[in-house]
Amino acid sequence: LQHFAEFGVVMMLFLIGLELEPEALWQMRKRLLGLAGMQILGTVAILALLAMAFNQDWHVAITLGMILSLSSTAIVLQTLSEKSLMQTPGGRSAFAVLLTQDIAVIPMLALMPLLATRVAVSSSEEHIGEAFMHSLPGWAAALVTLGAVAAVILMGQYLIRPLFRYVYSARLNELDTALALLIVVGIASLMEFVGLSPALGTFLAGVMLAGSEFRHELEGQIAPFKGLLLGIFFITVGAGMDFQMLFQRPATVIGVTVLLIGVKALVLHLIARATGLRGRDRMLFTLSLAQAGEFGFVLLSYAVSLAILPRPLAQGFLLVIALSMLATPLLFILSDFISRRIAEERASEIADEIREQQPIIIAGVGRFGQVLNRLITMSGFKTTVLDHDLEVIQLMRRFGFKGYFGDPT
């Protein structure tokens, strides 16, 4: 069942690709590469060093770092939407990180075969594609691989759209569904034939079709199959968990889970400080992404199939990922609690006494308020500056600008 259910992950990546137009990706490049790139690289580095400190080989350490650096897109986005936090600075930053992590799964899948130190043992016979690729010299295999990727990009750009127009003219929903499934299955099969990840090919095809007029039609046709197969995938993952290991060594499993959440929260907190997130937004960004994610299950099973990770170690980290995901609601509750405490502490601070009466009051001096204040004062008017953030007022005073701490409302 798991073999078929993993196809749901391929469909998920196709749908992610459909949401990402190349132009939109380019416009978000700074946030995606800066904010999320720091999170992924920082988390992978620290977790890999910790794994090596516990006598793990560097191949295993880097693989575990990549697997555990990802967060749960499904749980976090759903919770942010339910709590109406998606449009806050913390929510938008969390979304940027999750989006980059979903994209980062592709290079991780491509990198893992390079980390395999020995040939994976498989009971199944070598399929036709593997036999064909192994029969080619190295340069020819590389050319075939690049040709397959180029073929996917060209098909997405020039072949699939006219084909969809032709099928759409028949006005038969069954044909639309059949063509959508044929595209995903065909591209995944082509990638597997040349020895690449099926997810890579379907993701590229999705990106190429993101600007197509048939994008929403494709999403509507594929989404039910993706949901069904992903549901079966998570059921098979849960059924494969070794709960006996949890009962035998609960302190070890729970301890590693807490350590993982702590390390990820530390990296996220440092990034939030460096990028200027404050208060509630910093807490939300730090704690909402501190768990491992569902793609960790996919990468774990892939690492075991490549013989990078021994099966007992993978079973243990399967439990760690699941427990960290179960802790996500608790992390959101903790974020709310800390945010309220911060607000109460700020409310308890004594507001400044304002002794002047100027004709213009500036309520709030973020970037926009500071620009307004400079323009107005340079025009010869006097202002009274108010802000409820004591750190901002103190920063302004260091630069010679007079402001008052208090609640503008």
Side-chain angles (χ1 to χ4, degrees):
L1 275 177
Q2 193 167 13
H3 180 73
F4 289 99
E6 283 173 359
F7 210 78
V9 179
V10 173
M11 291 183 170
M12 178 194 285
L13 283 163
F14 179 69
L15 293 178
I16 290 171
L18 282 177
E19 296 291 336
L20 303 174
E21 293 187 38
E23 295 84 1
L25 280 176
W26 181 250
Q27 290 172 0
M28 295 176 66
R29 65 190 183 280
K30 290 183 180 177
R31 176 171 281 189
L32 294 176
L33 294 175
L35 188 74
M38 286 191 294
Q39 184 272 327
I40 294 171
L41 293 175
T43 308
V44 170
I46 294 176
L47 291 175
L49 288 172
L50 280 172
M52 290 171 71
F54 284 93
N55 300 320
Q56 294 295 336
D57 184 71
W58 69 271
H59 301 89
V60 173
I62 293 175
T63 302
L64 287 174
M66 290 192 298
I67 291 169
L68 300 175
S69 67
L70 305 175
S71 303
S72 177
T73 303
I75 297 175
V76 175
L77 289 186
Q78 182 68 22
T79 309
L80 289 174
S81 299
E82 288 174 357
K83 293 179 174 286
S84 301
L85 295 171
M86 190 66 81
Q87 297 307 317
T88 63
R92 287 198 300 270
S93 298
F95 174 74
V97 170
L98 290 169
L99 179 62
T100 309
Q101 287 180 354
D102 289 345
I103 298 171
V105 171
I106 307 298
M108 287 180 185
L109 287 168
L111 184 62
M112 276 193 181
L114 303 177
L115 294 172
T117 54
R118 58 190 185 278
V119 179
V121 178
S122 176
S123 59
S124 60
E125 293 182 3
E126 189 180 55
H127 64 67
I128 297 171
E130 288 177 342
F132 171 71
M133 294 298 289
H134 288 164
S135 67
L136 296 175
W139 61 270
L143 281 178
V144 170
T145 302
L146 290 173
V149 173
V152 169
I153 294 172
L154 291 172
M155 281 193 296
Q157 196 70 22
Y158 300 109
L159 177 64
I160 294 176
R161 290 184 187 185
L163 188 59
F164 237 108
R165 289 192 194 99
Y166 178 73
V167 170
Y168 187 73
S169 64
R171 304 288 181 184
L172 290 173
N173 289 333
E174 295 84 354
L175 279 179
D176 289 344
T177 305
L179 179 60
L181 289 173
L182 177 64
I183 291 168
V184 177
V185 175
I187 292 172
S189 301
L190 174 64
M191 290 291 104
E192 197 168 24
F193 184 84
V194 298
L196 289 177
S197 164
L200 172 64
T202 51
F203 176 79
L204 286 175
V207 171
M208 289 299 104
L209 291 168
S212 165
E213 62 271 33
F214 299 106
R215 187 186 84 182
H216 298 294
E217 182 76 18
L218 277 167
E219 285 181 3
Q221 301 289 355
I222 295 294
F225 295 97
K226 185 265 294 185
L228 177 65
L229 291 172
L230 269 186
I232 296 173
F233 174 74
F234 285 123
I235 289 172
T236 58
V237 167
M241 286 184 182
D242 186 2
F243 285 100
Q244 193 170 357
M245 180 184 291
L246 177 61
F247 299 141
Q248 288 173 349
R249 291 185 284 178
T252 302
V253 175
I254 294 172
V256 172
T257 305
V258 172
L259 179 64
L260 168 65
I261 292 173
V263 167
K264 295 190 75 171
L266 174 64
V267 173
L268 290 161
H269 182 75
L270 293 174
I271 293 170
R273 287 184 69 90
T275 53
L277 288 174
R278 294 196 302 255
R280 184 179 184 180
D281 292 312
R282 185 188 294 171
M283 281 299 103
L284 177 65
F285 179 75
T286 299
L287 294 175
S288 66
L289 300 174
Q291 77 292 108
E294 56 272 358
F295 274 119
F297 296 135
V298 181
L299 293 175
L300 264 180
S301 61
Y302 189 51
V304 171
S305 69
L306 293 172
I308 302 172
L309 299 181
R311 190 168 292 277
L313 184 67
Q315 288 287 350
F317 277 99
L318 205 64
L319 284 171
V320 169
I321 293 172
L323 288 175
S324 71
M325 290 171 70
L326 284 172
T328 304
L330 300 178
L331 294 174
F332 271 97
I333 292 170
L334 179 61
S335 172
D336 289 340
F337 175 75
I338 295 174
S339 299
R340 282 197 298 269
R341 288 293 299 272
I342 292 172
E344 288 170 4
E345 287 173 7
R346 289 190 172 177
S348 65
E349 292 168 347
I350 300 171
D352 291 330
E353 184 180 350
I354 302 173
R355 299 180 183 274
E356 60 182 32
Q357 296 289 330
Q358 305 295 355
I360 296 170
I361 297 171
I362 295 184
V365 276
R367 293 179 185 177
F368 188 63
Q370 290 173 20
V371 172
L372 275 181
N373 188 35
R374 284 197 296 271
L375 289 171
I376 292 170
T377 52
M378 287 171 65
S379 300
F381 296 94
K382 292 185 178 180
T383 63
T384 298
V385 176
L386 305 175
D387 202 291
H388 63 84
D389 192 330
L390 187 58
E391 292 179 10
V392 173
I393 294 296
Q394 290 170 344
L395 179 66
M396 286 187 66
R397 287 172 182 169
R398 282 203 294 270
F399 287 99
F401 295 99
K402 188 176 181 181
Y404 294 98
F405 168 68
D407 185 356
T409 60

